[in-house]
Amino acid sequence: MASVLTNPLRVGLRQERVIPPQCLVIFGASGDLTHRKLVPALFELYRQRRLPSEFAVVGCARRPWSDEEFRSRMAAAMASVISEHPTAWQRFASSLFYEPADLSDPATIVQLGQRLESIDRQCATRGNRTFYLSVSPAFYGSGCRALAAAGLLADADRSRVVIEKPFGRDYGSAQELNRVVQTCAKENQIFRIDHYLGKETVQNILVLRFANTIFEPIWNRNYISNVQITAAETVGVEERAGYYETSGALRDMVQNHLTQLLALTAMEAPGRFDPESMRNEKAKLLQAARLANEEEPWKCCVRGQYSSGGSRISPTAGYRQEPGVNPNSTTETYVAMKLFINNWRWQGVPFYLRTGKRLPKRVSEVVLTFREAPVHLFDAAGGSPTVNQLILRIQPDEGAEFRFEVKAPGSGMRSRPVDMAFSYDDSFGEPSDEGYVRLLADAMLSDPTLYTRSDEVEAAWRLYTPLLELIEDSPWQLPVQPYETGTWGPAAADSLLADDGLVWRRP
Ligand code: BG6
């Protein structure tokens, strides 16, 4: 009988893990993320009966709200979800508390500590605490210091801190921030979040690659000619100009989300599915990645900025006309670039990354294009046969498809391309959870597998250092090029691929 090697450590590890009694403390509770993502994700976990009955959420911000006010503000922001589950919300909302606190004022953190003691007794949360820093990045370091000074991170088994992106602004500041937070807590208490890793389809990249035998032998430079990773959005900067003006697409999307997609697509198989084996492989991969031209980075990167567009009836503003944006802003809302990975598996295979706001379609995908068949025996519809492509659709229409040539019906021997498709919706029939649902549960379970480790974050920043320095020191060498709202970015992004005889896939 054929034997299958089963890793005993893996069995049962991921399924229905039980979150221990828990108090989740959200700093920045009056901010957008709390009512748009965090509390809805917690409510979802509650409805799925995955939260323990000994549970509390404590919102913290400077505003002098009461528990009641916090509850009613969350209820107002989540009205449409709550209207479908009013009774569940009533019960869930009784676990919401609020304590005014300011991470830059240590006295308020000490006071918070006392409140947490009392909530601990009231809700039997047994001192298990997850602190979520959904605050301005300027407070990540000082916030951790204030928590540590108040003794709130002292218990390495029962306390942890989740830190939102961006983790640093460049390689140097990320190193410094790592140094600071690591003086306040052990690495296994630090959860650097990237919400893309919470997406079902992003995790599926691992399962697709490492739970099937057919992909591994061809997942390398011998068979794959290039890889394209796209994260396109239709939205503009919305109300986030204050943040976005200091960030731009490179820091906002590429350094984190696209780089994580790159790491999962290209990394080696870990020996085991445990946090450190996984993160070792990702870190190794990122350490081997390089811009295609580090000496002249402007030759392998394109920056764009959306200009006005839309129709005469519903025109849309250009980036520079958005509220809060500098009318002469040179912040990029679009980036396309070419990378290489200097290792045995990928040497010479270009990886193209692109992301942008106000593009024609919301779509995130990874496209692996295979090498051409060595000999063309058949006439192909359209002139030459299309090359095989494997498309991993991250969102929307989550799934995957494989494009290959078949015989076109008829008496001749012409080939034409068809798609074999897998759709999450059709196969499983239920929408997958928001990334934050999975990631919040994992943090409360103290499972860092889907969180980024210090060396990974630093490697990701180091990868883009030549570009960041160029933009800082001689921005005229890589100016932002305007692209009309609703188009696929500046023409120069097409030339980046055309120079290699390629085109971007039009999703
Ligand atoms: C965030 C960025 O991290 O990701 C936003 O700050 C972006 O600018 C968002 O819109 C995209 O996430 P998603 O899950 O909608 O693809």
Side-chain angles (χ1 to χ4, degrees):
M1 206 175 98
S3 73
V4 176
L5 272 180
T6 307
N7 181 343
L9 282 167
R10 209 196 59 214
V11 176
L13 186 67
R14 315 292 303 174
Q15 290 304 315
E16 297 305 323
R17 295 162 305 162
V18 181
I19 297 172
Q22 192 81 209
C23 179
L24 182 81
V25 183
I26 304 176
F27 289 96
S30 57
D32 216 35
L33 190 75
T34 304
H35 63 75
R36 267 196 322 116
K37 300 286 184 189
L38 302 181
V39 178
L42 292 167
F43 186 43
E44 180 62 30
L45 284 170
Y46 176 79
R47 291 201 311 103
Q48 293 179 9
R49 297 178 198 279
R50 288 168 61 200
L51 288 182
S53 44
E54 304 90 352
F55 181 73
V57 179
V58 182
C60 296
R62 284 182 214 168
R63 302 186 191 185
W65 291 346
S66 63
D67 292 346
E68 261 325 306
E69 186 156 10
F70 181 51
R71 287 170 193 166
S72 60
R73 281 179 185 269
M74 293 302 115
M78 293 167 54
S80 63
V81 185
I82 293 170
S83 66
E84 286 170 35
H85 313 282
T87 323
W89 174 261
Q90 284 305 324
R91 287 196 303 262
F92 173 78
S94 66
S95 310
L96 299 183
F97 302 90
Y98 184 85
E99 178 69 23
D102 179 351
L103 282 171
S104 58
D105 178 355
T108 64
I109 305 304
V110 172
Q111 200 176 323
L112 169 68
Q114 290 159 7
R115 179 86 198 273
L116 293 181
E117 294 283 324
S118 110
I119 290 174
D120 229 18
R121 286 191 293 274
Q122 183 184 340
C123 302
T125 48
R126 299 192 212 159
N128 278 319
R129 291 171 191 158
T130 302
F131 297 97
Y132 197 113
L133 302 191
S134 171
V135 293
S136 154
F139 293 110
Y140 292 164
S142 58
C144 287
R145 280 203 180 107
L147 289 172
L152 294 173
L153 297 174
D155 187 336
D157 295 324
R158 292 190 299 168
S159 63
R160 60 208 67 82
V161 54
V162 181
I163 302 180
E164 261 295 334
K165 67 156 245 262
F167 194 91
R169 277 189 62 70
D170 51 25
Y171 181 42
S173 55
Q175 278 181 310
E176 174 58 15
L177 186 56
N178 271 328
R179 198 190 57 74
V180 171
V181 298
Q182 284 169 341
T183 58
C184 303
K186 299 206 169 105
E187 178 63 28
N188 68 359
Q189 291 176 276
I190 305 165
F191 288 70
R192 301 170 193 79
I193 194 164
D194 183 314
H195 81 275
Y196 259 55
L197 288 174
K199 292 183 195 280
E200 202 83 77
T201 38
V202 174
Q203 294 156 36
N204 184 46
I205 297 175
L206 292 172
V207 179
L208 189 103
R209 289 191 57 195
F210 303 133
N212 298 295
T213 49
I214 58 163
F215 296 116
E216 178 55 23
I218 55 171
W219 208 269
N220 56 48
R221 62 197 298 270
N222 299 328
Y223 290 90
I224 292 177
S225 74
N226 70 88
V227 180
Q228 297 182 12
I229 301 179
T230 295
E233 299 185 274
T234 51
V235 291
V237 67
E238 300 180 294
E239 279 86 47
R240 301 164 70 221
Y243 150 74
Y244 201 82
E245 274 284 88
T246 63
S247 146
L250 184 53
R251 289 188 168 92
D252 184 50
M253 292 290 289
V254 178
Q255 184 273 344
N256 34 68
H257 307 327
L258 272 78
T259 305
Q260 287 298 325
L261 292 178
L262 169 75
L264 295 178
T265 305
M267 68 189 237
E268 298 298 314
R272 312 196 311 200
F273 188 57
D274 66 22
E276 297 327 315
S277 309
M278 267 285 297
R279 301 194 297 176
N280 287 345
E281 295 305 336
K282 282 202 288 161
K284 245 169 62 187
L285 186 282
L286 295 177
Q287 284 153 7
R290 301 273 179 277
L291 294 179
N293 189 340
E294 291 194 304
E295 283 69 46
E296 300 170 311
W298 59 90
K299 292 193 174 161
C300 66
C301 177
V302 174
R303 295 166 72 222
Q305 189 185 68
Y306 63 83
S307 56
S308 55
S311 62
R312 220 150 30 104
I313 301 162
S314 60
T316 53
Y319 179 69
R320 292 181 184 181
Q321 288 82 52
E322 299 274 23
V325 171
N326 174 350
N328 299 315
S329 173
T330 56
T331 301
E332 78 280 348
T333 60
Y334 177 98
V335 188
M337 68 173 74
K338 178 177 166 185
L339 306 171
F340 285 116
I341 294 165
N342 280 336
N343 64 15
W344 279 58
R345 184 185 288 270
W346 295 115
Q347 183 62 43
V349 178
F351 283 73
Y352 302 97
L353 271 47
R354 68 172 163 171
T355 183
K357 293 200 182 283
R358 289 265 191 250
L359 300 187
K361 211 171 167 183
R362 175 175 183 257
V363 57
S364 297
E365 62 176 28
V366 177
V367 181
L368 298 111
T369 302
F370 292 84
R371 295 198 182 280
E372 269 188 45
V375 177
H376 297 163
L377 287 181
F378 312 110
D379 289 340
S384 56
T386 27
V387 279
N388 299 145
Q389 283 188 321
L390 179 64
I391 297 141
L392 311 178
R393 284 197 313 266
I394 308 299
Q395 63 189 19
D397 307 330
E398 289 82 354
E401 67 195 61
F402 183 57
R403 169 159 282 219
F404 57 103
E405 292 278 304
V406 296
K407 179 183 174 304
S411 57
M413 281 300 272
R414 280 165 71 80
S415 71
R416 55 170 273 203
V418 290
D419 293 323
M420 194 159 68
F422 148 68
S423 139
Y424 259 88
D425 225 16
D426 293 348
S427 299
F428 300 110
E430 52 183 69
S432 46
D433 287 337
E434 254 276 335
Y436 279 97
V437 173
R438 170 65 190 259
L439 292 173
L440 279 173
D442 280 4
M444 294 188 282
L445 283 156
S446 261
D447 178 352
T449 313
L450 298 175
Y451 285 83
T452 47
R453 206 170 55 187
S454 57
D455 51 351
E456 261 184 86
V457 178
E458 289 179 17
W461 279 118
R462 193 163 53 183
L463 170 59
Y464 302 110
T465 298
L467 268 180
L468 292 167
E469 286 177 349
L470 181 75
I471 297 169
E472 184 79 24
D473 301 338
S474 28
W476 61 89
Q477 284 192 294
L478 193 60
V480 284
Q481 312 196 26
Y483 61 95
E484 196 181 322
T485 284
T487 64
W488 282 104
D494 293 334
S495 314
L496 188 69
L497 269 73
D499 291 348
D500 296 340
L502 299 170
V503 288
W504 290 105
R505 192 183 106 87
R506 284 283 134 93

